[in-house]
Amino acid sequence: MRRIVAFRCADETLVGSLDVAAGTIGVLIVSGGNEVRCGAHRGMAALAKALAAGGMPVFRFDRRGIGDSSGINGGFESAADDIMAAAAAFRAHCPQLTRLVGFGNCDGATALALFGERAGLDALVLANPWVVAAVDDLPPPAAIRARYATRLRDRTLWADLVRGRINISSGVKGLSRIFRMHSDAESSLELGFFAGIAAIPSTIVIAKGDATAQAFLAAAKRHRWRGTMHVIETASHSFAGPGDADALLSAVREGVR
């Protein structure tokens, strides 16, 4: 059974969806970007339904200024009060809960890492965490390098070079510009993320071909992070490819338990 729940956050009213189950372990889902609580391609709604069918109650919500919730959208970095209010509402409607686990994708995952401890969460499952600030809408440098490494192994590329179909000078200038504008230097966001997951048991879920995931892997290497990680063979950031939903469900179930 799924119920709609309205609850207060500061002076605003937030709206959430509760998938009811009898279990004592609950999953709080935080949507990424400006997505409403159902998630991209309704992926978070489907995930919630599947988890609840297995006995885990699940709560999703729209943060302030998103979807059905009132207020001003301040972005994921201002979501501390929203996550704390949602966690409190979840516990109030499911008093049997003894353990609360946060799940999020992209900057929803990052918000949980930044504010999960403050919200009293017991563990986190974080998919494709966002840890690198974007510049001019270009991908993170780790993703660019991965893309060009793949291209350099493509025989078609070398054949096109021999036939003069590729402007080498233009390509070199473009790459030079990209790498001047991008760096892998630690950002305050990155530092905050890794401090957050050091404070709460955390599992990372990675979409192998996703640019955001590749940027996270580069950051994890810099921080020598050796935590639990599940890699799903997909390039879909929202796990919308064939078989992705089942793979994500399996990874989340394992991370929650």
Side-chain angles (χ1 to χ4, degrees):
M1 182 174 66
R2 179 170 290 168
R3 298 205 310 254
I4 302 300
V5 175
F7 57 100
R8 299 295 289 174
C9 175
D11 294 325
E12 305 297 341
T13 299
L14 306 191
V15 178
S17 297
L18 172 63
D19 283 72
V20 180
T24 59
I25 301 175
V27 180
L28 175 67
I29 294 181
V30 176
S31 293
N34 294 321
E35 292 173 1
V36 295
R37 61 188 183 272
C38 67
H41 315 286
R42 297 193 61 80
M44 296 301 99
L47 176 63
K49 181 179 180 180
L51 290 171
M56 295 180 191
V58 183
F59 192 72
R60 299 169 287 117
F61 67 99
D62 295 333
R63 71 167 189 263
R64 284 171 290 180
I66 298 292
D68 295 320
S69 296
S70 66
I72 297 173
N73 178 8
F76 75 96
E77 290 179 282
S78 67
D81 289 344
D82 306 68
I83 294 173
M84 289 189 288
F90 193 5
R91 291 189 178 97
H93 284 271
C94 295
Q96 81 275 18
L97 294 179
T98 59
R99 180 174 169 81
L100 192 53
V101 180
F103 170 75
N105 186 34
C106 196
D107 62 32
T110 308
L112 282 166
L114 296 175
F115 310 125
E117 183 180 26
R118 203 183 308 178
L121 302 185
D122 299 291
L124 303 175
V125 181
L126 308 176
N128 303 323
W130 178 264
V131 295
V132 179
V135 178
D136 277 7
D137 294 325
L138 291 170
I144 295 171
R145 286 195 293 271
R147 168 62 178 164
Y148 274 91
T150 300
R151 286 284 287 145
L152 288 172
R153 292 192 293 270
D154 186 350
R155 293 181 180 179
T156 304
L157 171 69
W158 297 104
D160 287 343
L161 280 171
V162 170
R163 296 186 180 106
R165 294 175 180 172
I166 294 178
N167 187 324
I168 297 177
S169 175
S170 176
V172 169
K173 288 179 181 178
L175 282 174
S176 175
R177 177 176 176 272
I178 288 171
F179 282 97
R180 281 200 309 271
M181 296 178 67
H182 281 304
S183 75
D184 277 329
E186 294 176 342
S187 65
S188 59
L189 179 62
E190 179 180 318
L191 294 171
F193 177 89
F194 283 97
I197 64 172
I200 306 178
S202 300
T203 297
I204 304 296
V205 182
I206 290 296
K208 186 175 181 180
D210 174 58
T212 301
Q214 291 164 356
F216 169 79
L217 292 174
K221 184 176 181 180
R222 288 194 294 276
H223 285 263
R224 295 183 173 86
W225 185 78
R226 296 291 185 271
T228 303
M229 182 181 296
H230 295 273
V231 178
I232 297 176
E233 296 287 338
T234 182
S236 174
H237 180 70
S238 56
F239 302 97
D244 289 357
D246 289 340
L248 179 62
L249 175 62
S250 177
V252 172
R253 279 176 172 163
E254 188 171 337
V256 168
R257 290 168 180 161

